Structures are given as structure tokens and as C-alpha cells.
């Protein structure tokens, strides 16, 4: 009788067939010298089978029978070329499906429906058997399970997508051409343990290697590199396990290439110790690596050799503090998925190194492998660059939480072997790496007896390293406590907890989805001052968008719901500090600034010095210099370079500054100073000149001088508007919506319409928890109704006062608004909005709004922007620490940020004026005495709100200038806390004003300040 349960991909008892025991990752070499050279691509013992295979897609494993294994892999049988490694969905086969939590099949463990995509992979390879040699095949990663056939004979089965599977195929090999067939099943019972927040994919995703090895080969190698901080001694304990009998010689080479010590050990797993007095210890700042060469010999003849890089360090928790080499450390890190927008989870060594270099250069010192072990090269690179790794098991059962049964598998004894094996395989492969400072049992899988069993197995294999597991809230079997997206307030409370006395890790602490995250400054200040918190990892490094070239030549990166899925988690996979193409986001700039290894401190207003802190735990600031730049009204007037003396780790240094960088002229200009610290030498991760931190300050703001009105304008009442004219200017105040229309000066149209009151923004991803309420209140439909209009002339100007209501369609709450325009014959206009919020019986006035401000429509010819405010890049009220006050000159199009999922973007805070001009220097300026928010886009808000991708946003024939009282904060509300209360825009009484004035060819800054002077004169008059 046929039973689904008998299929290996539905049988809990079948985790593998004929798979070799898990071992440390190393490559075999034919000689000691080859092992020392360490280039496995040149090893005669290693053959890489990556490249073009023959491939056939089937809708079910039940169709992949023995006949399919034996059939020719030609076009007549439906085969085509398939690149390995690659997920087959990225070659156009099967179905793309993205969910954060939900399983892609009925939840009925351990059963997987027989409607289960299956890939038939075939290729031939030439091999001539050699006496006393064995041949192994190693798959570094296959999603999610596969059966292997060699020369049409079953060779083995394995599951577990992100861990290697190795098989001894010596008995199945023949001289000459050999056929290899792998039947790859997208889903298996193990998929219930692999419900990570990512695309559901299938295929061979990592390297496939043939390993030719002697009959007596090195089966495993365990290297425990300890460090005694007080004595400065490195202690390397080695256990070599060989298949057969052989002698093992060990030679340890120091970082300078000289032999440090050597030993001979048995090949039966008995430990041998190598001691290195005066060892150079490994840490993230000084990643000193020794090279251990291991030579397997018999009768003096080399059978096989290999190498392992060794970093001497001691990780321990002492009295509730995480120590590395006896010192308290802080892990400032990032969560990183393996993903390539063109290849899926088939990530190359080159991409991995590029991303890790980016992480290192950003000032981060730690990576969490969320949520599975990475490719082997990842750990080699982290060892070399100096990055602390939280190595996470390939385990997540998040979908059961959706079913209200988060611990269903965690507490089921029948699943214990599957749980424990995943931990065992991870530790066996990665434990020789210095970079791995902490194991993680997985992610979002509840807590139960199987989690405890994993912990015990890890501790038996590797007692030294601490173990992390966030859902173990009571630290029953975790050595560190952990939490996700904890609010700033709760972080303060957690720091006061006395039990359990453990270091605390924020394995996910801010959500970098879309335009975000916000409040990083408040988070990081709290964390860095904490007694308990010793690690924080932002979510996450990179968007998971799928590269798509459209018929019209545009490129977009698609997300969930765009592949005809029945259900999906939408754009929740577009959540990185980097876009899918690797472009850094403004959120990245903020994070980098806040975690920089060199921080500049307040020096009690003393401009003669700059005080800096070396935040490194082990390395002194050596071979560094300070660079200074003094600017007047945004123009550089002086630069300066000063070499720094060594600053010890954790040390503070007061650097004296020369007169030229701290003295400003007694003129009415904006003087600013930027000072940064740079390396003067190359590091393993950077070139000379790399910036380690920066500091910016305003030395002198400019003073606004009163500019009196130049005379009133003529007023003519038309049916729907008040027409105002002077010799040089004309405009109309609408009696329909209260806005200014057709603002013309010297015959040039400078504003088509505006400023109109506005509380809507194209919702950002982090508005997720609020946008539903805002949409219910129809904020996108808000409009003005004019009740009254009054015109008076007073002291050289014309005053127009509009009263009315600003309200949404189909709702019975509103803002009672008074708009006041005070205009003079030069075309200068003071605009003032004042009002409060009210509603009729039964109305629900929203407690807060996305923003409160104005928007104006300007001709597209005004494509050059000069503004005074925080920049040069996008910033918001809760993401502005990396911004610098100055006067910036940009093209209008360059002020926008094309987030893949369109949303509010391009905001600048602290803006005192914003001028838009054409190529001749003619245009319009918006000026204020109180810093405002500003953004300029070539689209209306609804264009962004309705578009699915950046390339879908239309380019309009006008610019929209948002000049706002305030744009609310960003927060992390797409997954974590909303913006902080101090960054909200509340529905309270409001009163704000600014000036609009024409700009003529000439000094834009002077004219912008003159407009401020017009505003100042009116406000001073009002106060007196």
C-alpha cells in the first residue's frame, strides 16, 4: 500500500540516508605547501561542479520516479540548461511566493502536499578512479531536500536547506563519464522548521564539490583556540579524527608567516595542546589570525593536508557581563539574510565579501546570520575582517504562532531529533571560526523541550561559547537574555532588572523598512549607557526585491503579491538599509553616524578644542588625523588637517584646534564647522582616508534684519477670487479654497497654486500601525471651505483674512482655520495659518496626524533649489543626527529618494528658506523665522500613494513644494514601535507663518533673508 508517510520528504524518521557525519568545513589538499597556499580552486583534490547543468521541472516528487532518473537529459525529455547554484524560480520555473509567517501549504505536520515543486538536476563528470582514493560529493546547500543518484543508482538523501550534505560515492563511480542526478524537492517535513521571513524557493543554492581523498582521510578537525588575557598566552586545543590510521602533524604559523609551534597528535580524536606565549589575540578591531596546517601522513608520506585559520580569543560571561579577552564588549550590528535580486539565495563569495566590507566600513562590528548558517566563505571573511558573528541555527516555525500554537513543534518529542540535528550540524561546521562568538538556537519558534535539547547538545559540543535564543524569555536554556523591538522606555526598565543577571541582546531593535527607521539616536543613547545591554542588531541589511526588467526598459524590484500568489506579506521583504541593488538608504547614513567608532563629545562650549572618544574596546586610535572644514554660507573658506596622537581604547582626547578653524568673521553670515577623524593607513577592510566619525556645529547663525513693506497692492473682487496687483506682481486669492493662484512677478509665473493646508503624506511603511486609522479618517481627501474673506490696507501692505473649515470628505470633524495674507507691492507675502480641531456629535478626531503644513505647485522650469537647513540628504525629526546645518544648492530632482515602494521621501528639517529658480536665477523663495520641514517632488502625494514601484511614479509637469510646520517622525512601526510621542504631530491648536517672495537673478541667499526680514517686521509689529 502506498503511503505519503513513506516518502522521505514526509517522514520525520528520515533526516538523511547515507549522509556523512557533520564535520568542520575545510578543503583537502595534496601537499603541505598547497594547504599553506590555501587556494582550493587550484587543489587537485577539489573539483567544483558549479556551472550549467541539465534541468527539468516537475510539479510533484511523485513524478520523479526511476524512469526520470534514467532518462536522457535532452530537450526531447523536457530538459534545458540550468545554472548551479541558483533558485529555479529565478530561471523562470515554478512559482514565486513571499510570506513573513504563513506557510505556503496546509499546516499538517509532518505532511507536505504531493503538489510540491521538484527539480531534476543532471550532469556528467569525468573521473578516473585512483587506487587507495575515495571520492566524496559535497552539496553546501540545497532547498529543501534532495535524493542523489550516481550512475542511476541511489546514493543518498538529505534535508536541511542551509547546511552541507556530503556523500561517499566511491563504490558507485566508474572510469570515464559518470552521471549525477539530484531530485530536489522544494518542500519537505523539514520545511516546517524553515519558516523564515523570506521567499519560498527551491533549488541547489550553494557550491557542489567533488572531493578526492585518501582511504585514510581527515574526517573531522576540532580547533579550540583559547586566550589567557592575564598571561597573554594562546592555547590551541586540537582534536583530529581520521578514517583509518595515520599520523597527524600540526604546524601553527603566526600572522607574520613564521612558524610559532608544532606538534604531532593521534588521529583518534585525543586532544593535543599548542601553547603560544605572547600570542596576538583576535578581536573585531585587531583580527590577528594564525594559520594551522594539518598534515596527514603514513610512513612519512603525505596523504592529505589542510589548513584552518585560528584566532586566539576567550568568550565568557562573568558576573552577568559578556567579556571577550577579559574586556566588556558592545556588539553594534546588523541582521543579514543571504539574498541576490537576480539569483535568490544563491549568493556568491564575491557578493558576500562586498556586503561584509560594507558592514565593516560602516562601523558595525557584528552580524547575526538571520536566520540560518551562511555560506562557508562568510565565516572566513568575518575572521579576516574582524566581525563578531551570532551564528543562528536554520530554525523558525513562525507560522504556528499565526495558528495560536507557537510551541507545537518545540514541545513535540517526535521532532526532537530534527531540532537537535540542526544545531549539531551548525556547530560541527562552524566552531573553528574565531568570529563566531555566540550561537543562536533559531528565531521565533516558541520555547519547549526540543529547544532545551538543542541547548544541551550545543553545550556538549562547545561548552565555551554563550547561547542565545530570543523566545526563551526566562533564560531557561539561554546564556543571554534577548528581546526584539523593545521600546526606549522598556529598555530603561530592563536595565534596572536584577534577575536574571545576564547580558542582554537586542537581536532586532529597529526596522529599516522603506523610509526609516526613526529614533535611532534615542535608542542608541539608551543602549550605550546601559549596564546590561551588550549588543544591538538592526533589521536588516538589504531589501529582498526581485530584479525585473520590464518591456519598456525600466527596472523594478518586485515583492510579495506580484506573482499571482493567493496570499502574501506584500512589500515586507523590502526592509533593508540597502536597496536591492545595493544603494544605501538615508537610514543607513544615520545608523553609521551613530555607531561610528570615533564619537565627538560636548566640550562645554570651548571652541578651542574638540573632544573625541575612541569607542573601540581593544585598538588604540593610531595613524589617524583630524580634518576640518570651515564654511561661510555653505561655501568652504578654510580646510585643515591635524595628525592625532594615539588614543587608547575607551580613551578621550581633547584635540586643540587652530585659530583658522574656530574663528569666524564678524559678518552677517552662517558659519559652520565640520570635523572628522580619518585613518591615514590602509586596514584590511579599508583604504587610507577612511572616515571613523564626524562632528558638525554652527559657529555663528546669521541675523535677520527687518525689511519694511513696500506699499499695498490693488484689490479687485471677482466672482470666485480676489485679484491683487501691483506694478510688478499679480496673484489671486481663491474664495473657493483660500489658496493663492497664478503668482506672477515681472511677467514670470513663479507659483501656480498654493500654499494649501495639508495634513496628508503618502504613508511610509513605518506608518503601518497608524495609516489604517488615517485612511478611515479620509485624510487624503481633506479640503478647504471658505466662510469669509476680509480685505484691509495697513501700513504699506494689503491684508487678506480668510476664515473657513479644513475637513475630510464623509467625516464630521474639521479644523477651524484662519488664513492671513499680508502682501506688499514687491510681491512679498506673509502667509499665516492658525486654527484648532473640532467635531460634531459622534465625531472621532484623530489624536495625531502624519504632518501639518502646506503644499504649493510651482512651474517645472524652477528646477534649481537653494535652501538653508539640515542636509545634504533626506532627514526627519527623528532621523537627523547625521545631517548638517548649511546652505545647499541642488537640482530639484536630486532631493527625492526613490524608495522601491513609493512613499513620503526627501524631507529636510530645520529649513529657514527654500528657493526654487530657473537657469537664469529667477524664481520664488519660501522663508521662515522658525525652522520648518521642506520637501520638493515632481509628483503629487497621490501619485506616490497609489504607485507600486519607484518606476511607476509619474513625472509631472510641475514641482510640489511641501513647506510644513512639522512632518511626523518615522519610528519603526512597520514591525516595532511607532515614532516617539515627542515626534508626533498632535491635533492641537496651531499657528505658523512664513513668507513667499520673488527671486530675481543675483544673490539668492540675500534675497531669501530679505524675505525673512519682511516676515520679521510684521511679527515685531504684531507683538508691539
Amino acid at each position: 500500500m502506498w503511503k505519503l508517510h513513506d516518502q522521505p520528504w514526509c517522514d520525520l524518521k528520515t533526516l538523511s540516508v547515507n549522509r556523512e557525519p557533520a564535520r568542520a568545513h575545510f578543503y583537502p589538499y595534496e601537499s603541505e605547501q598547497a594547504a599553506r597556499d590555501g587556494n582550493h580552486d587550484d587543489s587537485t583534490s577539489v573539483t567544483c561542479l558549479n556551472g550549467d547543468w541539465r534541468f527539468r521541472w516537475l510539479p510533484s516528487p511523485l513524478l520523479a520516479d526511476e524512469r526520470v532518473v534514467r532518462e536522457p537529459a535532452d530537450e526531447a525529455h523536457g530538459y534545458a540548461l540550468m545554472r548551479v547554484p541558483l533558485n529555479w524560480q529565478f530561471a523562470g520555473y515554478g512559482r514565486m511566493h513571499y510570506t513573513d509567517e504563513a506557510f505556503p501549504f496546509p499546516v499538517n505536520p509532518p505532511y507536505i502536499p504531493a503538489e510540491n515543486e521538484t527539480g531534476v538536476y543532471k550532469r556528467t563528470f569525468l573521473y578516473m578512479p585512483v587506487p587507495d582514493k575515495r571520492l566524496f560529493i559535497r552539496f553546501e546547500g540545497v532547498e529543501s531536500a534532495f535524493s542523489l543518484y550516481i550512475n542511476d543508482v541511489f546514493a543518498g538523501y538529505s534535508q536541511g536547506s542551509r547546511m552541507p550534505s556530503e556523500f561517499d560515492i566511491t563504490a558507485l563511480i566508474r572510469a570515464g563519464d559518470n552521471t549525477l542526478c539530484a531530485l530536489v524537492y522544494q518542500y519537505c517535513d523539514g520545511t516546517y522548521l524553515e519558516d523564515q521571513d523570506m521567499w519560498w524557493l527551491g533549488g541547489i543554492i550553494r557550491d557542489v564539490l567533488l572531493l578526492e581523498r585518501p582511504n585514510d582521510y581527515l574526517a573531522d578537525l576540532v580547533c579550540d583556540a583559547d586566550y589567557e588575557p592575564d598571561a597573554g598566552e594562546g592555547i590551541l586545543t586540537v582534536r583530529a579524527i581520521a578514517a583509518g590510521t595515520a599520523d597527524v602533524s600540526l604546524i601553527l604559523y603566526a600572522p607574520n608567516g613564521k612558524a610559532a609551534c608544532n606538534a604531532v597528535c593521534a588521529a583518534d580524536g585525543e586532544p593535543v595542546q599548542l601553547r603560544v606565549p605572547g600570542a596576538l589575540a583576535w578581536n573585531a578591531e585587531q583580527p590577528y589570525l594564525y594559520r594551522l596546517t594539518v598534515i596527514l601522513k603514513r610512513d612519512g608520506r603525505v596523504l592529505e593536508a589542510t589548513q584552518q585559520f585560528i584566532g586566539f580569543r576567550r568568550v565568557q560571561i562573568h558576573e552577568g557581563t559578556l567579556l571577550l579577552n577579559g574586556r566588556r564588549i558592545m556588539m553594534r550590528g546588523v541582521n543579514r539574510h543571504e539574498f541576490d535580486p537576480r539569483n535568490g539565495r544563491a549568493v556568491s563569495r564575491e557578493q558576500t565579501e562586498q556586503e561584509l566590507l560594507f558592514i565593516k566600513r560602516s562601523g558595525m562590528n557584528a552580524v547575526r546570520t538571520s536566520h540560518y548558517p551562511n555560506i562557508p566563505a562568510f565565516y572566513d571573511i568575518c575572521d579576516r575582517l574582524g566581525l563578531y558573528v551570532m551564528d543562528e541555527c536554520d530554525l523558525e516555525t513562525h507560522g504556528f504562532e499565526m495558528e495560536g500554537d507557537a510551541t507545537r513543534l518545540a514541545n513535540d518529542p517526535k521532532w526532537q531529533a530534527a531540532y537537535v540535528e540542526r544545531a549539531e550540524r551548525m556547530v560541527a561546521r562552524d566552531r573553528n571560526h574565531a568570529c563566531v562568538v555566540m550561537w543562536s538556537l533559531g528565531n521565533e519558534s516558541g520555547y519547549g523541550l526540543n529547544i532545551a535539547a538543542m541547548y544541551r547538545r550545543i553545550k556538549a559540543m562547545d561548552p565555551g561559547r554563550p547561547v542565545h535564543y530570543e523566545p526563551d524569555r526566562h533564560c531557561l536554556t539561554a546564556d543571554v537574555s534577548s528581546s526584539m523591538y523593545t521600546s526606549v522606555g522598556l529598555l530603561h526598565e530592563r536595565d534596572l532588572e536584577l534577575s536574571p543577571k545576564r547580558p542582554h541582546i537586542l537581536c532586532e531593535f529597529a526596522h529599516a523598512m522603506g523610509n526609516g527607521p526613526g529614533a535611532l539616536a534615542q535608542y542608541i543613547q539608551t543602549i550605550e549607557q546601559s549596564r546590561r545591554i551588550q549588543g544591538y542588531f538592526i533589521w536588516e541589511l538589504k531589501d529582498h526585491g526581485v530584479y525585473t526588467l520590464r518591456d519598456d526598459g525600466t527596472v523594478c524590484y518586485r515583492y510579495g503579491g506580484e506573482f499571482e500568489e493567493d496570499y502574501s506579506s506584500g512589500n515586507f521583504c523590502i526592509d533593508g538599509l540597502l536597496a536591492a541593488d545595493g544603494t544605501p538608504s538615508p537610514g543607513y547614513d544615520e545608523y553609521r553616524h551613530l555607531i561610528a567608532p570615533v564619537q565627538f563629545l560636548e566640550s562645554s562650549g570651548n571652541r578651542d578644542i574638540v573632544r573625541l572618544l575612541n569607542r573601540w574596546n581593544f585598538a588604540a586610535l593610531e595613524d589617524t588625523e583630524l580634518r576640518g572644514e570651515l564654511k561661510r554660507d555653505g561655501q568652504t573658506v578654510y580646510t585643515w588637517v591635524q595628525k592625532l596622537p594615539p588614543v587608547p581604547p575607551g580613551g578621550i582626547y581633547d584635540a586643540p584646534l587652530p585659530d583658522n578653524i574656530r574663528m569666524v568673521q564678524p559678518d552677517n553670515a552662517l558659519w559652520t564647522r565640520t570635523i572628522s577623524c580619518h585613518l591615514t593607513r590602509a586596514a584590511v577592510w579599508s583604504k587610507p582616508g577612511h572616515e571613523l566619525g564626524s562632528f558638525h556645529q554652527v559657529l555663528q547663525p546669521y541675523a535677520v534684519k527687518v525689511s519694511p513693506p513696500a506699499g499695498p497692492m490693488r484689490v479687485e473682487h471677482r466672482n470666485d477670487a480676489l485679484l491683487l496687483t501691483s506694478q510688478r506682481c499679480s496673484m489671486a486669492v481663491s474664495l473657493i479654497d483660500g489658496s493663492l493662484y497664478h503668482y506672477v512677478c515681472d511677467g514670470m509665473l513663479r507659483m501656480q497654486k498654493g500654499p494649501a493646508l495639508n495634513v496628508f503624506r503618502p504613508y511610509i511603511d513605518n506608518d503601518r500601525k497608524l495609516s489604517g486609522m488615517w485612511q478611515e479618517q479620509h485624510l487624503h481627501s481633506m479640503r478647504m471651505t471658505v466662510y469669509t474673506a476680509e480685505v484691509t490696507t495697513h501700513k504699506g501692505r494689503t491684508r487678506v483674512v480668510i476664515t473657513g473649515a479644513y475637513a475630510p470628505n464623509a467625516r464630521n470633524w474639521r479644523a477651524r482655520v484662519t488664513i492671513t495674507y499680508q502682501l506688499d507691492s514687491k510681491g512679498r507675502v506673509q502667509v499665516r495659518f492658525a486654527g484648532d480641531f473640532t467635531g460634531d456629535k459622534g465625531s472621532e478626531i484623530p489624536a495625531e496626524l502624519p504632518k501639518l503644513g502646506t503644499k504649493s505647485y510651482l512651474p517645472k522650469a524652477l528646477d534649481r533649489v537653494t535652501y538653508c537647513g539640515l542636509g545634504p540628504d533626506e532627514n526627519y525629526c527623528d532621523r537627523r543626527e547625521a545631517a548638517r546645518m548649511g546652505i545647499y544648492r541642488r537640482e530639484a530632482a536630486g532631493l527625492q529618494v526613490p524608495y522601491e515602494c513609493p512613499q513620503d521621501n526627501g524631507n529636510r528639517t530645520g529649513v529657514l528658506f527654500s528657493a526654487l529658480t530657473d537657469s537664469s536665477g529667477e524664481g520664488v523663495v519660501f522663508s521662515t523665522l522658525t525652522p520648518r520641514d521642506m520637501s520638493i517632488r515632481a509628483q503629487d502625494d497621490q501619485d506616490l500613494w497609489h504607485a507600486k514601484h519607484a518606476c511607476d511614479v509619474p513625472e509631472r509637469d510641475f514641482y510640489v513644494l511641501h513647506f510644513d510646520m512639522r512632518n511626523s517622525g518615522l519610528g519603526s512601526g512597520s514591525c516595532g514601535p511607532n515614532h516617539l510621542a515627542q515626534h508626533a504631530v498632535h491635533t492641537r491648536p496651531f499657528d505658523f507663518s512664513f513668507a513667499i517672495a520673488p527671486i530675481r537673478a543675483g544673490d539668492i541667499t540675500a534675497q531669501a533673508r530679505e524675505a525673512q526680514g519682511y516676515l520679521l517686521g510684521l511679527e515685531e509689529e504684531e507683538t508691539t
Side-chain angles (χ1 to χ4, degrees):
M1 181 174 65
W2 182 89
K3 295 180 181 179
L4 182 62
H5 184 71
D6 292 337
Q7 305 300 314
W9 38 276
C10 282
D11 181 6
L12 268 180
K13 297 179 182 178
T14 305
L15 301 177
S16 66
V17 178
N18 296 336
R19 190 180 66 207
E20 292 291 300
R23 65 167 175 88
H25 187 273
F26 56 82
Y27 297 103
Y29 297 89
E30 65 278 6
S31 68
E32 176 187 349
Q33 186 58 50
R36 285 189 63 188
D37 293 341
N39 187 352
H40 66 270
D41 292 332
D42 293 337
S43 172
T44 60
S45 301
V46 180
T47 301
C48 182
L49 297 183
N50 293 357
D52 288 336
W53 292 38
R54 304 297 291 180
F55 177 82
R56 180 183 175 193
W57 180 90
L58 297 171
S60 171
L62 302 185
L63 300 175
D65 55 13
E66 296 293 329
R67 177 187 58 81
V68 170
V69 172
R70 295 190 300 270
E71 70 187 7
D74 54 25
E75 292 183 7
H77 289 85
Y79 287 84
L81 290 179
M82 167 68 75
R83 180 163 44 88
V84 170
L86 183 72
N87 287 111
W88 65 62
Q89 286 83 357
F90 283 73
Y93 295 93
R95 186 183 187 196
M96 297 286 296
H97 191 184
Y98 166 68
T99 65
D100 170 31
E101 300 173 359
F103 287 107
F105 42 70
V107 181
N108 185 23
Y111 296 108
I112 295 294
E115 185 182 351
N116 178 10
E117 292 185 27
T118 299
V120 182
Y121 289 82
K122 291 189 177 184
R123 69 160 294 158
T124 61
F125 59 91
L126 180 66
Y127 184 71
M128 303 303 294
V130 178
D132 299 324
K133 292 283 189 178
R134 308 192 67 78
L135 188 66
F136 295 82
I137 189 167
R138 183 177 176 90
F139 292 80
E140 297 289 4
V142 180
E143 287 190 301
S144 68
F146 69 106
S147 297
L148 177 66
Y149 294 81
I150 301 295
N151 294 323
D152 301 340
V153 177
F154 177 71
Y157 168 84
S158 182
Q159 63 185 49
S161 297
R162 267 70 65 173
M163 289 306 299
S165 304
E166 194 167 333
F167 302 91
D168 185 344
I169 58 174
T170 308
L172 304 178
I173 294 300
R174 60 195 178 207
D177 284 335
N178 292 265
T179 62
L180 185 164
C181 175
L183 306 179
V184 178
Y185 318 119
Q186 179 166 354
Y187 305 129
C188 68
D189 54 87
T191 304
Y192 282 106
L193 305 179
E194 297 177 1
D195 184 22
Q196 289 95 339
D197 173 11
M198 56 190 186
W199 293 94
W200 296 99
L201 303 171
I204 300 174
I205 60 169
R206 294 180 181 173
D207 294 344
V208 182
L209 306 171
L210 290 175
L211 307 177
E212 186 181 72
R213 313 191 67 184
N215 281 336
D216 295 347
Y217 61 90
L218 188 63
D220 200 5
L221 181 66
V222 181
C223 303
D224 180 13
D226 191 16
Y227 179 73
E228 175 49 62
D230 293 335
E233 183 178 38
I235 306 107
L236 176 62
T237 303
V238 179
R239 290 190 292 118
I241 303 168
T245 58
D247 301 320
V248 179
S249 296
L250 307 174
I251 306 174
L252 186 68
Y253 295 92
N256 61 9
K258 296 181 180 179
C261 58
N262 58 72
V264 176
C265 70
D268 57 2
E270 283 296 312
V272 63
Q273 278 194 349
L274 292 83
R275 291 183 172 269
V276 182
L280 296 170
W282 185 95
N283 58 72
E285 299 140 28
Q286 301 163 319
Y288 293 114
L289 289 175
Y290 290 70
R291 185 191 301 259
L292 177 69
T293 303
V294 182
I295 308 104
L296 203 66
K297 296 181 180 179
R298 175 179 289 143
D299 300 328
R301 181 173 63 90
V302 174
L303 302 176
E304 184 175 65
T306 192
Q307 68 161 356
Q308 294 276 271
F309 283 98
I310 302 298
F312 289 108
R313 86 284 183 279
R314 175 177 292 176
V315 185
Q316 63 185 133
I317 296 175
H318 178 67
E319 295 183 352
T321 301
L322 177 66
L323 304 177
L324 181 77
N325 302 337
R327 297 187 187 181
R328 184 184 191 273
I329 62 170
M330 176 67 79
M331 291 184 286
R332 305 175 179 98
V334 66
N335 286 272
R336 176 181 177 269
H337 266 294
E338 289 186 314
F339 188 78
D340 181 277
R342 297 171 186 257
N343 301 315
R345 276 186 287 281
V347 176
S348 67
R349 179 189 178 98
E350 291 72 26
Q351 178 183 328
T352 300
E353 182 158 20
Q354 183 182 33
E355 290 180 1
L356 292 176
L357 278 169
F358 180 87
I359 289 169
K360 183 72 177 180
R361 291 166 181 165
S362 302
M364 300 179 229
N365 65 359
V367 183
R368 179 185 179 215
T369 66
S370 50
H371 302 289
Y372 41 81
N374 284 195
I375 65 171
F378 168 89
Y379 303 88
D380 296 330
I381 299 167
C382 289
D383 283 343
R384 177 167 53 85
L385 296 182
L387 286 166
Y388 302 128
V389 172
M390 179 191 288
D391 204 7
E392 192 149 86
C393 194
D394 193 359
L395 173 67
E396 182 167 336
T397 64
H398 207 167
F400 290 100
E401 185 176 326
M402 292 184 66
E403 304 304 315
D405 195 4
T407 63
R408 178 173 175 179
L409 300 189
N411 268 326
D412 188 342
K414 295 192 297 294
W415 285 81
Q416 186 163 124
Y419 272 71
V420 171
E421 185 194 71
R422 287 171 180 260
E424 187 175 68
R425 292 168 73 186
M426 173 182 69
V427 174
R429 192 193 72 164
D430 299 338
R431 60 184 163 189
N432 291 349
H433 287 279
C435 64
V436 179
V437 298
M438 191 176 295
W439 304 113
S440 179
L441 301 181
N443 185 64
E444 293 175 328
S445 298
Y447 184 80
L449 57 91
N450 295 336
I451 301 294
M454 293 173 71
Y455 176 86
R456 291 193 298 271
R457 182 60 183 139
I458 287 179
K459 284 299 184 180
M461 296 178 69
D462 183 47
R465 288 182 179 94
V467 174
H468 164 275
Y469 184 59
E470 184 268 336
D472 183 4
R473 306 293 165 80
H474 301 290
C475 295
L476 300 176
T477 51
D479 301 315
V480 298
S481 62
S482 181
S483 62
M484 295 181 180
Y485 306 109
T486 313
S487 68
V488 174
L490 285 177
L491 288 180
H492 286 289
E493 294 181 17
R494 192 172 292 276
D495 201 42
L496 299 175
E497 293 175 357
L498 299 178
S499 178
K501 192 175 182 181
R502 300 175 190 269
H504 189 76
I505 304 296
L506 293 169
C507 60
E508 298 174 25
F509 88 102
H511 206 245
M513 186 174 180
N515 191 348
L520 286 179
Q522 289 78 12
Y523 264 118
I524 291 174
Q525 181 182 27
T526 301
I527 292 167
E528 293 285 349
Q529 295 174 354
S530 167
R531 296 176 301 169
R532 289 191 59 209
I533 302 173
Q534 289 192 251
Y536 51 99
F537 297 80
I538 198 167
W539 186 271
E540 68 170 311
L541 180 66
K542 192 174 181 181
D543 290 348
H544 302 206
V546 176
Y547 175 88
T548 303
L549 179 63
R550 293 177 169 177
D551 293 339
D552 62 1
T554 60
V555 171
C556 72
Y557 292 87
R558 290 193 285 175
Y559 44 81
E562 298 193 82
F563 296 91
E564 300 181 359
E565 307 102 309
D566 298 326
Y567 55 92
S568 80
S569 297
N571 69 322
F572 207 60
C573 59
I574 308 296
D575 57 357
L577 292 170
L578 305 180
D581 66 359
T583 303
S585 71
Y588 156 75
D589 294 329
E590 183 86 344
Y591 191 47
R592 177 186 181 183
H593 176 79
L594 291 167
I595 63 170
V598 173
Q599 291 288 307
F600 291 84
L601 309 176
E602 293 292 334
S603 55
S604 301
N606 186 351
R607 293 186 178 183
D608 297 343
I609 64 168
V610 62
R611 175 168 293 171
L612 59 90
L613 166 67
N614 176 9
R615 294 170 84 178
W616 280 335
N617 299 118
F618 299 93
L621 278 179
E622 297 179 307
D623 301 314
T624 57
E625 66 185 16
L626 291 181
R627 299 179 185 176
E629 183 178 31
L630 186 67
K631 288 187 175 183
R632 179 190 182 277
D633 279 348
Q635 302 293 330
T636 300
V637 296
Y638 182 74
T639 60
W640 149 84
V641 177
Q642 173 181 320
K643 186 171 177 56
L644 282 175
V647 182
I652 294 175
Y653 175 68
D654 288 338
L657 299 177
D659 290 345
N660 286 343
I661 201 69
R662 56 189 172 89
M663 299 299 290
V664 299
Q665 301 298 321
D667 61 355
N668 190 23
L670 174 66
W671 289 83
T672 62
R673 179 171 71 187
T674 302
I675 297 174
S676 52
C677 181
H678 299 258
L679 285 174
T680 58
R681 57 170 172 79
V684 68
W685 45 271
S686 75
K687 297 179 180 179
H690 179 79
E691 183 183 296
L692 298 175
S694 66
F695 169 68
H696 177 80
Q697 64 186 150
V698 174
L699 295 179
Q700 174 182 288
Y702 63 85
V704 178
K705 299 178 181 179
V706 170
S707 177
M713 301 187 77
R714 295 183 296 273
V715 182
E716 182 182 352
H717 184 186
R718 299 283 177 89
N719 289 335
D720 63 344
L722 300 173
L723 181 62
L724 298 104
T725 58
S726 68
Q727 186 175 359
R728 300 178 61 181
C729 301
S730 67
M731 65 203 75
V733 176
S734 170
L735 299 178
I736 297 174
D737 62 16
S739 294
L740 286 176
Y741 280 79
H742 208 66
Y743 178 76
V744 174
C745 290
D746 297 324
M748 174 184 175
L749 177 65
R750 299 168 191 256
M751 183 173 68
Q752 295 158 333
K753 174 189 174 182
L757 197 61
N758 181 42
V759 298
F760 174 75
R761 71 181 180 190
Y763 299 128
I764 66 171
D765 289 316
N766 285 326
D767 286 337
R768 180 168 300 200
K769 296 175 182 176
L770 293 166
S771 60
M773 177 267 291
W774 288 336
Q775 289 191 57
E776 287 181 3
Q777 294 296 335
H778 296 184
L779 296 190
H780 58 284
S781 71
M782 300 284 288
R783 55 180 173 168
M784 185 75 182
T785 300
V786 174
Y787 294 161
T788 66
E790 181 183 7
V791 181
T792 57
T793 300
H794 183 68
K795 292 188 177 180
R797 64 186 182 277
T798 300
R799 176 185 291 172
V800 179
V801 179
I802 301 289
T803 66
Y806 180 65
N809 291 340
R811 294 293 179 265
N812 63 348
W813 63 271
R814 65 199 64 85
R816 296 179 296 196
V817 180
T818 299
I819 308 172
T820 303
Y821 299 106
Q822 300 202 69
L823 314 92
D824 76 353
S825 59
K826 287 185 178 180
R828 297 181 297 183
V829 185
Q830 182 214 41
V831 186
R832 179 177 179 182
F833 289 88
D836 60 5
F837 295 88
T838 186
D840 300 332
K841 182 178 180 181
S843 64
E844 295 184 16
I845 303 173
E848 62 174 281
L849 302 168
K851 64 158 59 175
L852 179 59
T854 68
K855 63 178 180 179
S856 303
Y857 296 81
L858 283 68
K860 197 65 175 289
L862 305 184
D863 58 359
R864 290 159 172 78
V865 180
T866 301
Y867 79 93
C868 178
L870 288 172
D873 299 320
E874 175 191 272
N875 54 88
Y876 285 73
C877 61
D878 64 346
R879 198 190 65 205
R880 51 187 276 173
E881 295 301 311
R884 300 171 178 178
M885 188 66 185
I887 295 177
Y888 298 98
R889 297 162 181 86
R890 296 287 187 273
E891 293 184 2
L895 295 180
Q896 301 168 61
V897 179
Y899 293 105
E900 186 60 41
C901 297
Q903 53 199 279
D904 192 84
N905 72 85
N907 192 70
R908 267 69 174 172
T909 63
V911 173
L912 292 172
F913 64 78
S914 178
L916 281 82
T917 58
D918 63 11
S919 58
S920 68
E922 296 275 335
V924 65
V925 66
F926 284 58
S927 294
T928 177
L929 299 175
T930 304
R932 302 295 180 203
D933 282 16
M934 177 272 292
S935 64
I936 300 167
R937 295 194 286 265
Q939 300 87 24
D940 214 339
D941 291 340
Q942 276 69 18
D943 293 331
L944 291 166
W945 189 35
H946 294 300
K948 295 191 69 173
H949 291 280
C951 61
D952 296 330
V953 179
E955 184 82 7
R956 299 300 186 185
D957 60 356
F958 51 78
Y959 280 113
V960 180
L961 170 64
H962 294 266
F963 208 67
D964 299 328
M965 178 178 170
R966 195 179 197 191
N967 201 339
S968 67
L970 303 173
S972 284
S974 52
C975 189
N978 288 331
H979 50 248
L980 300 178
Q982 62 263 37
H983 299 139
V985 177
H986 298 285
T987 47
R988 296 170 180 164
F990 57 89
D991 189 340
F992 65 97
S993 62
F994 53 88
I996 302 173
I999 289 288
R1000 298 171 178 88
D1003 189 335
I1004 294 175
T1005 299
Q1007 294 178 77
R1009 290 172 181 166
E1010 183 184 354
Q1012 286 180 292
Y1014 175 71
L1015 190 64
L1016 177 63
L1018 298 181
E1019 292 193 3
E1020 286 185 351
E1021 177 186 318
E1022 183 174 330
T1023 58
T1024 58

